Amino acid sequence: MKKSKNLPKPSTQYARLSSKDLLSLYIHPEARTAYKIYVEHFPLDRIAQSEDPAVHLDVFYNRINFYFYRNFAAQLGMTDSTEVYVRKLQPTISSMHLESWRYVLGEFLELNPVNINIYNQLKAQMPKDIQRKLFGKLMTIEDVCRRKGISRHNFDYQHAKQKSVVFRMPSFDELIQRNVNGN
Amino acid sequence: MEIDIEHATNELIPNVVDDYQNVRKYFLTVAALSGQGFMSLSLPETDKDFVLSKVELKAIYKSCTGRLTNDNFRVTAFIGSTYHLKDLDVSNPAPDWLWVSKICQLLIYCSDRKLINRVTEITTFARLWTVQGSSYHHLWQKCVELQLKDIATTFENIDEYKQHLDDINSPDLNQFTKVHRALKFVLHNKNRIERNSTNGRKSRMTRRIDEEKIEYIELNDVDDDSDELISVTEFLKTDNDIDVMREKLDIGLPDFTILKQTSLQAHEKYSPQQMYHRTRSKLQHANKNERFISNNVRVLPLFALQNIFAYLWQLFEKLSSSHDRDKKRVISYLLLSMLTGRSIAQLSEDITGNNKQYINLNRRNNSYHLNIILDITSLRLRTQGIQKVLANRLLECDISLPEQLGVFLAYKGDINKEILYEVINETRNALKLPYLSLARIEKGLYSTLIHHVSNSQIASIITGRNERKRADIWYSSNSVDNIRTIYQQAIKLLSQKTTYNNDYLNLVSNTFDYKIGSQNCPDYTIVSSFIDLLRQKAEATTDYIEKFNAYSIWLWHVSLLLTSVRAVEGVPGYLNQFNFQVGLIWISDKEERATASSQRYVPLCQFLIKAINQYIDFLKSFSSRFCRLDMRIKYWVDEVMNYERPLINLFNKKGELEAIRPALVRNEIHENFRFKEDWTRHVGQRYLHEQNINESMILSVFGHEMMGQESWRKNSSISIGDILDLRPTYQALANKLEIRQVQL
């Protein structure tokens, strides 16, 4: 709490980040899980979509680093020549946590067709209290279908179509047996 | 047969075994199953109903864990291991149990005659073979099938089958011989063989200096200035005969090297310094004498060798076996030396000592062979079925020797040195060859092989010459048929001027073409599927750190396979070591690389160039995509691009990027692939040899050419153009292994 008193005051003005400051731009630890799902699972073309010469981010600033917590697509679309503007909103920890998940969920709902893998990741990793805040209860397939405006059949169809094979490295024993038996 | 059965049983299952009374009772019950008919043992009447259940047997087996081959427990372990078989029905025992019973009777005999080694051998093979799914379970079934009521007829069957395995050159022969040997001992009523050698250094009184002792030194004067106590963290133990400096890969320099020394002499002989000098001079010597100079006067020309060979055969046939026995023996040894390439001293020691290391003369079977034993890179893996995925399944092969020579030499006797030199003088005068000497005769086969028939690798394998001096033998892989054919050609060439009949050489065409050589060389199919699995893993993993590691491990294996570089830290190297336009990379992978600038060029094939370029793209996108999770990623990737860090890296457990090294790779894939790290070089060398690549090229690429080959020029004695010529070969290896690029 003491720390928070020393934090700079929030501002609604966008300020441009120097290239040196850019190196201090981090994902906020509270938003990390949501961000990790986003960078690991969302399709590449979606991430590299934006070609804006300027990117606007809301950040949390602690006088050393800039922490962003949403608008991941814009951040990932940044190149060396992108101008980055930040707004030091100084949100609370819990709101950054919530916002990061809200952002990823929103991005997920915009994906067409529905991405089953990401649904499973969200279902598994999104904290229960966040699910309750965003849906009023725990997230279900029905909720996703309703929000996306698709039928349950559509979801099931995609589920069957996108069946992801879980890869497991066979042990040395199994590898030998496979080779001996000729398959 | 008079045997004190109770005493023998007590010896087999001593008191130290848990529950020994029951185990003994059960052992006798099982032994009695096949009755007196087998080897007329008068087994005592036992409680017929005394049977142990599978659960009890398993418990007995478990109690022997960790001491299965211990003298006191091996028989019990075998008895316990029969829990793998079906339940025992004493009134109507299954064939499996009858065979177990016969083994028990054999054990009783062996115990009575104190045949300790047989007891160990029998219990070990029987215990291993009973397990269903073991590599040799089919031999167990074969024995069960071949057994008959009495030992003599059983032995006939077993002998016949052994002969069959021998004929088809089966890799199972070695294992099967164990059953054969066990029965043979009993059938011929053999006793313990005791050899006492009269000469030889071993029998001499051991000097005091030879005694092993451990010295304890107490340290109490710790330097006051030092901040901390010195702690010893790592030892490297080596035996006398292991070259400490050889291919240590990346174990890293130990804090101490303990040389287990048995004598002062051995210590001096095997000190690293000495070893280095010796290896160096050996290699230079070998190269000068034998590899490079074909017009060396020290090498006899072919026609001279042919004349000598013919002359010696003439003498051999002329001399009678009874009157000129000593002279004839000398001549037959000279002939044998020309036929095998081994020195007379080695041969006579082997034959008179009955060591059977090189020569196996067996009058009973009328078989006379040269044994080629190539157990250099031994197999340390114990995984089930491992033999079936090895490229080289044989450790030894044999080559027939002429019968008349074998028959004569089977009567042993020492060589008279004076007569030996008389014969050489006589030959020298008769053939007017002033430069004829014993050494040149002994080298005859080797020079014929390297100059007229084949390459020096096969010549070294056949004759054993320079075998231990040459690094490439450690990696070799040669088909047995090929070795035999080459040998046959050499002998036919040598004997062109003789009348002696060399039909005995004609090969029985083998159904299986097995290979002999390195045991650290997996077969192509398993390599192919392993590399493909690594690719699939790299593609399927989602966690960014795991994905990065999986991709790096794939590229590490692919680049090791396609450049044959040694598996050491940071290979294949920094980005500025690659020349993608030309297709060349300079590498530095030897132990001394830390201090000296030891580099050499190896080719870079098309597939690898593409793989590395894709990996570089991956690194860039990885950096831009994941750097906000950990800003260090950006620095690390920049380091790779600026040649400050090797191309391939791995994330360690702390999430830091480290240059790839075998220990890290081993941690990741230990459960999936257990071959020793340099298996890629073994596969590579096998492939290059199969493609008939010039031997000197292979030596150059593998860094085996000469001691310090790299210190002169990066491309050693071979020109860059020649090295570049190997690119298509490595590309073909990539195609053969069906390696595919990682698609992300």
Side-chain angles (χ1 to χ4, degrees), chain B residues 164-196:
Chain B
H164 166 69
L165 291 180
D166 199 7
D167 290 344
I168 60 168
N169 202 9
S170 161
D172 296 334
L173 180 66
N174 264 348
Q175 285 290 321
F176 195 74
T177 311
K178 293 176 181 171
V179 184
H180 186 266
R181 195 154 42 213
L183 288 165
K184 199 163 100 180
F185 262 79
V186 180
L187 183 67
H188 297 306
N189 205 2
K190 284 200 184 178
N191 285 319
R192 196 181 158 91
I193 300 174
E194 283 178 31
R195 288 202 183 91
N196 35 9

Short mmCIF file of all heavy atoms in Angstrom, two decimals, chain B residues 164-196:
data_model
loop_
_atom_site.label_atom_id
_atom_site.label_comp_id
_atom_site.label_asym_id
_atom_site.label_seq_id
_atom_site.Cartn_x
_atom_site.Cartn_y
_atom_site.Cartn_z
N HIS B 164 22.71 -75.30 -37.23
CA HIS B 164 21.86 -74.55 -38.14
C HIS B 164 22.07 -73.04 -37.95
O HIS B 164 22.24 -72.28 -38.90
CB HIS B 164 20.41 -74.94 -37.90
CG HIS B 164 19.41 -74.01 -38.52
ND1 HIS B 164 19.23 -73.92 -39.88
CD2 HIS B 164 18.57 -73.11 -37.96
CE1 HIS B 164 18.31 -73.01 -40.13
NE2 HIS B 164 17.90 -72.49 -38.99
N LEU B 165 22.07 -72.61 -36.68
CA LEU B 165 22.27 -71.18 -36.39
C LEU B 165 23.62 -70.72 -36.92
O LEU B 165 23.77 -69.62 -37.46
CB LEU B 165 22.21 -70.92 -34.88
CG LEU B 165 20.84 -71.08 -34.22
CD1 LEU B 165 20.96 -70.77 -32.73
CD2 LEU B 165 19.82 -70.12 -34.84
N ASP B 166 24.61 -71.59 -36.76
CA ASP B 166 25.95 -71.28 -37.24
C ASP B 166 25.93 -71.09 -38.76
O ASP B 166 26.51 -70.17 -39.29
CB ASP B 166 26.87 -72.43 -36.84
CG ASP B 166 28.32 -71.98 -36.88
OD1 ASP B 166 28.55 -70.77 -37.08
OD2 ASP B 166 29.20 -72.83 -36.72
N ASP B 167 25.21 -71.99 -39.41
CA ASP B 167 25.17 -71.94 -40.88
C ASP B 167 24.55 -70.66 -41.39
O ASP B 167 25.02 -70.07 -42.36
CB ASP B 167 24.39 -73.14 -41.43
CG ASP B 167 25.16 -74.43 -41.24
OD1 ASP B 167 26.38 -74.33 -40.97
OD2 ASP B 167 24.55 -75.51 -41.33
N ILE B 168 23.47 -70.26 -40.73
CA ILE B 168 22.82 -69.05 -41.24
C ILE B 168 23.42 -67.80 -40.62
O ILE B 168 22.92 -66.70 -40.79
CB ILE B 168 21.29 -69.05 -41.01
CG1 ILE B 168 20.99 -69.13 -39.50
CG2 ILE B 168 20.61 -70.19 -41.74
CD1 ILE B 168 19.54 -68.84 -39.20
N ASN B 169 24.47 -68.00 -39.84
CA ASN B 169 25.18 -66.85 -39.29
C ASN B 169 24.27 -66.02 -38.40
O ASN B 169 24.24 -64.80 -38.47
CB ASN B 169 25.68 -66.00 -40.46
CG ASN B 169 26.84 -65.14 -40.04
OD1 ASN B 169 27.37 -65.30 -38.94
ND2 ASN B 169 27.22 -64.23 -40.91
N SER B 170 23.49 -66.71 -37.58
CA SER B 170 22.49 -66.01 -36.79
C SER B 170 23.11 -65.28 -35.61
O SER B 170 24.05 -65.78 -34.98
CB SER B 170 21.48 -67.03 -36.28
OG SER B 170 20.78 -66.49 -35.20
N PRO B 171 22.60 -64.11 -35.28
CA PRO B 171 23.12 -63.40 -34.11
C PRO B 171 22.74 -64.08 -32.79
O PRO B 171 23.27 -63.72 -31.75
CB PRO B 171 22.50 -62.01 -34.21
CG PRO B 171 21.33 -62.17 -35.10
CD PRO B 171 21.59 -63.33 -36.00
N ASP B 172 21.83 -65.04 -32.85
CA ASP B 172 21.44 -65.74 -31.63
C ASP B 172 22.43 -66.81 -31.22
O ASP B 172 22.33 -67.38 -30.14
CB ASP B 172 20.08 -66.42 -31.83
CG ASP B 172 18.98 -65.41 -32.07
OD1 ASP B 172 19.15 -64.27 -31.61
OD2 ASP B 172 17.98 -65.77 -32.71
N LEU B 173 23.37 -67.08 -32.11
CA LEU B 173 24.28 -68.20 -31.88
C LEU B 173 24.98 -68.10 -30.53
O LEU B 173 25.02 -69.07 -29.77
CB LEU B 173 25.30 -68.27 -33.02
CG LEU B 173 26.32 -69.41 -32.89
CD1 LEU B 173 25.63 -70.74 -33.00
CD2 LEU B 173 27.39 -69.30 -33.95
N ASN B 174 25.48 -66.91 -30.23
CA ASN B 174 26.22 -66.74 -28.97
C ASN B 174 25.40 -67.13 -27.77
O ASN B 174 25.89 -67.76 -26.85
CB ASN B 174 26.62 -65.26 -28.82
CG ASN B 174 28.02 -65.05 -29.32
OD1 ASN B 174 28.74 -66.03 -29.56
ND2 ASN B 174 28.39 -63.82 -29.48
N GLN B 175 24.14 -66.74 -27.78
CA GLN B 175 23.27 -67.07 -26.67
C GLN B 175 23.00 -68.56 -26.62
O GLN B 175 23.05 -69.19 -25.57
CB GLN B 175 21.94 -66.30 -26.80
CG GLN B 175 22.04 -64.85 -26.44
CD GLN B 175 22.27 -64.63 -24.96
OE1 GLN B 175 21.70 -65.33 -24.13
NE2 GLN B 175 23.12 -63.69 -24.63
N PHE B 176 22.70 -69.10 -27.78
CA PHE B 176 22.29 -70.50 -27.81
C PHE B 176 23.44 -71.41 -27.39
O PHE B 176 23.22 -72.48 -26.82
CB PHE B 176 21.79 -70.86 -29.21
CG PHE B 176 21.02 -72.15 -29.24
CD1 PHE B 176 19.73 -72.19 -28.73
CD2 PHE B 176 21.58 -73.31 -29.72
CE1 PHE B 176 19.01 -73.37 -28.72
CE2 PHE B 176 20.87 -74.49 -29.71
CZ PHE B 176 19.58 -74.53 -29.21
N THR B 177 24.66 -70.97 -27.69
CA THR B 177 25.83 -71.79 -27.32
C THR B 177 25.83 -72.11 -25.83
O THR B 177 26.34 -73.12 -25.41
CB THR B 177 27.12 -71.03 -27.68
OG1 THR B 177 26.98 -70.58 -29.01
CG2 THR B 177 28.33 -71.90 -27.57
N LYS B 178 25.20 -71.22 -25.04
CA LYS B 178 25.21 -71.43 -23.60
C LYS B 178 24.49 -72.72 -23.20
O LYS B 178 24.96 -73.46 -22.35
CB LYS B 178 24.58 -70.23 -22.90
CG LYS B 178 25.42 -68.98 -23.06
CD LYS B 178 24.75 -67.78 -22.45
CE LYS B 178 25.64 -66.55 -22.67
NZ LYS B 178 24.95 -65.33 -22.27
N VAL B 179 23.35 -72.98 -23.84
CA VAL B 179 22.63 -74.23 -23.56
C VAL B 179 23.48 -75.40 -24.01
O VAL B 179 23.64 -76.40 -23.31
CB VAL B 179 21.31 -74.29 -24.36
CG1 VAL B 179 20.54 -75.52 -24.00
CG2 VAL B 179 20.50 -73.06 -24.13
N HIS B 180 24.00 -75.24 -25.20
CA HIS B 180 24.82 -76.28 -25.80
C HIS B 180 25.96 -76.63 -24.86
O HIS B 180 26.22 -77.80 -24.57
CB HIS B 180 25.34 -75.75 -27.14
CG HIS B 180 26.08 -76.76 -27.95
ND1 HIS B 180 27.43 -76.88 -27.89
CD2 HIS B 180 25.66 -77.70 -28.82
CE1 HIS B 180 27.82 -77.85 -28.70
NE2 HIS B 180 26.76 -78.37 -29.28
N ARG B 181 26.61 -75.61 -24.35
CA ARG B 181 27.77 -75.82 -23.49
C ARG B 181 27.37 -76.54 -22.21
O ARG B 181 28.03 -77.47 -21.78
CB ARG B 181 28.38 -74.46 -23.18
CG ARG B 181 29.76 -74.52 -22.61
CD ARG B 181 30.53 -73.25 -22.90
NE ARG B 181 29.71 -72.05 -22.71
CZ ARG B 181 29.87 -70.96 -23.42
NH1 ARG B 181 30.80 -70.90 -24.37
NH2 ARG B 181 29.11 -69.90 -23.22
N ALA B 182 26.23 -76.11 -21.64
CA ALA B 182 25.79 -76.72 -20.39
C ALA B 182 25.58 -78.22 -20.57
O ALA B 182 26.07 -79.04 -19.79
CB ALA B 182 24.50 -76.05 -19.93
N LEU B 183 24.88 -78.59 -21.65
CA LEU B 183 24.61 -80.00 -21.89
C LEU B 183 25.89 -80.77 -22.17
O LEU B 183 26.08 -81.90 -21.73
CB LEU B 183 23.64 -80.16 -23.07
CG LEU B 183 22.20 -79.74 -22.78
CD1 LEU B 183 21.43 -79.59 -24.07
CD2 LEU B 183 21.52 -80.77 -21.88
N LYS B 184 26.78 -80.09 -22.91
CA LYS B 184 28.02 -80.77 -23.29
C LYS B 184 28.85 -81.14 -22.07
O LYS B 184 29.40 -82.23 -21.98
CB LYS B 184 28.82 -79.86 -24.23
CG LYS B 184 29.87 -80.58 -25.05
CD LYS B 184 30.30 -79.72 -26.21
CE LYS B 184 31.60 -79.05 -25.88
NZ LYS B 184 32.08 -78.21 -26.97
N PHE B 185 28.89 -80.22 -21.13
CA PHE B 185 29.67 -80.49 -19.92
C PHE B 185 29.16 -81.73 -19.22
O PHE B 185 29.94 -82.58 -18.79
CB PHE B 185 29.58 -79.28 -18.97
CG PHE B 185 30.76 -78.37 -19.06
CD1 PHE B 185 30.85 -77.48 -20.09
CD2 PHE B 185 31.78 -78.43 -18.13
CE1 PHE B 185 31.94 -76.63 -20.20
CE2 PHE B 185 32.87 -77.60 -18.22
CZ PHE B 185 32.95 -76.69 -19.27
N VAL B 186 27.84 -81.81 -19.11
CA VAL B 186 27.28 -82.94 -18.37
C VAL B 186 27.42 -84.22 -19.17
O VAL B 186 27.82 -85.26 -18.65
CB VAL B 186 25.80 -82.66 -18.05
CG1 VAL B 186 25.20 -83.80 -17.28
CG2 VAL B 186 25.69 -81.37 -17.27
N LEU B 187 27.13 -84.14 -20.44
CA LEU B 187 27.15 -85.33 -21.28
C LEU B 187 28.54 -85.95 -21.31
O LEU B 187 28.70 -87.16 -21.20
CB LEU B 187 26.69 -84.96 -22.70
CG LEU B 187 26.59 -86.14 -23.67
CD1 LEU B 187 25.47 -87.07 -23.22
CD2 LEU B 187 26.30 -85.64 -25.07
N HIS B 188 29.53 -85.11 -21.44
CA HIS B 188 30.89 -85.66 -21.49
C HIS B 188 31.51 -85.81 -20.12
O HIS B 188 32.70 -86.03 -19.99
CB HIS B 188 31.77 -84.77 -22.38
CG HIS B 188 31.31 -84.72 -23.79
ND1 HIS B 188 31.11 -85.86 -24.53
CD2 HIS B 188 30.97 -83.70 -24.60
CE1 HIS B 188 30.69 -85.51 -25.73
NE2 HIS B 188 30.57 -84.21 -25.80
N ASN B 189 30.65 -85.65 -19.10
CA ASN B 189 31.10 -85.88 -17.74
C ASN B 189 32.35 -85.06 -17.43
O ASN B 189 33.34 -85.57 -16.91
CB ASN B 189 31.40 -87.37 -17.58
CG ASN B 189 31.28 -87.77 -16.13
OD1 ASN B 189 30.93 -86.93 -15.28
ND2 ASN B 189 31.56 -89.02 -15.84
N LYS B 190 32.29 -83.80 -17.77
CA LYS B 190 33.49 -82.98 -17.65
C LYS B 190 33.65 -82.44 -16.25
O LYS B 190 32.68 -82.20 -15.54
CB LYS B 190 33.42 -81.80 -18.62
CG LYS B 190 33.70 -82.20 -20.03
CD LYS B 190 34.10 -80.99 -20.83
CE LYS B 190 34.29 -81.39 -22.28
NZ LYS B 190 34.61 -80.26 -23.12
N ASN B 191 34.88 -82.24 -15.90
CA ASN B 191 35.19 -81.62 -14.62
C ASN B 191 35.62 -80.19 -14.87
O ASN B 191 35.75 -79.75 -16.00
CB ASN B 191 36.30 -82.39 -13.93
CG ASN B 191 35.76 -83.68 -13.36
OD1 ASN B 191 34.67 -83.71 -12.80
ND2 ASN B 191 36.52 -84.75 -13.53
N ARG B 192 35.88 -79.54 -13.78
CA ARG B 192 36.34 -78.17 -13.85
C ARG B 192 37.66 -78.11 -14.62
O ARG B 192 38.56 -78.93 -14.40
CB ARG B 192 36.58 -77.73 -12.40
CG ARG B 192 36.69 -76.29 -12.15
CD ARG B 192 36.94 -76.15 -10.65
NE ARG B 192 37.56 -74.86 -10.41
CZ ARG B 192 36.86 -73.77 -10.16
NH1 ARG B 192 35.55 -73.83 -10.11
NH2 ARG B 192 37.47 -72.64 -9.94
N ILE B 193 37.74 -77.16 -15.52
CA ILE B 193 39.00 -77.02 -16.25
C ILE B 193 39.90 -76.10 -15.46
O ILE B 193 39.50 -74.98 -15.10
CB ILE B 193 38.76 -76.39 -17.64
CG1 ILE B 193 37.83 -77.27 -18.45
CG2 ILE B 193 40.08 -76.18 -18.37
CD1 ILE B 193 37.42 -76.66 -19.76
N GLU B 194 41.04 -76.59 -15.15
CA GLU B 194 41.97 -75.71 -14.46
C GLU B 194 43.23 -75.57 -15.26
O GLU B 194 43.89 -76.55 -15.58
CB GLU B 194 42.28 -76.25 -13.06
CG GLU B 194 41.12 -75.99 -12.10
CD GLU B 194 41.37 -76.56 -10.74
OE1 GLU B 194 42.53 -76.62 -10.34
OE2 GLU B 194 40.37 -76.94 -10.10
N ARG B 195 43.52 -74.38 -15.64
CA ARG B 195 44.75 -74.15 -16.38
C ARG B 195 45.73 -73.47 -15.45
O ARG B 195 45.38 -72.48 -14.81
CB ARG B 195 44.49 -73.23 -17.57
CG ARG B 195 43.72 -73.88 -18.68
CD ARG B 195 43.94 -73.17 -19.99
NE ARG B 195 43.10 -73.80 -21.01
CZ ARG B 195 41.87 -73.40 -21.29
NH1 ARG B 195 41.36 -72.36 -20.67
NH2 ARG B 195 41.17 -74.02 -22.21
N ASN B 196 46.90 -74.01 -15.36
CA ASN B 196 47.89 -73.20 -14.65
C ASN B 196 49.01 -72.86 -15.60
O ASN B 196 49.69 -73.73 -16.13
CB ASN B 196 48.40 -73.89 -13.39
CG ASN B 196 48.49 -75.37 -13.57
OD1 ASN B 196 48.32 -75.86 -14.70
ND2 ASN B 196 48.75 -76.11 -12.52
#
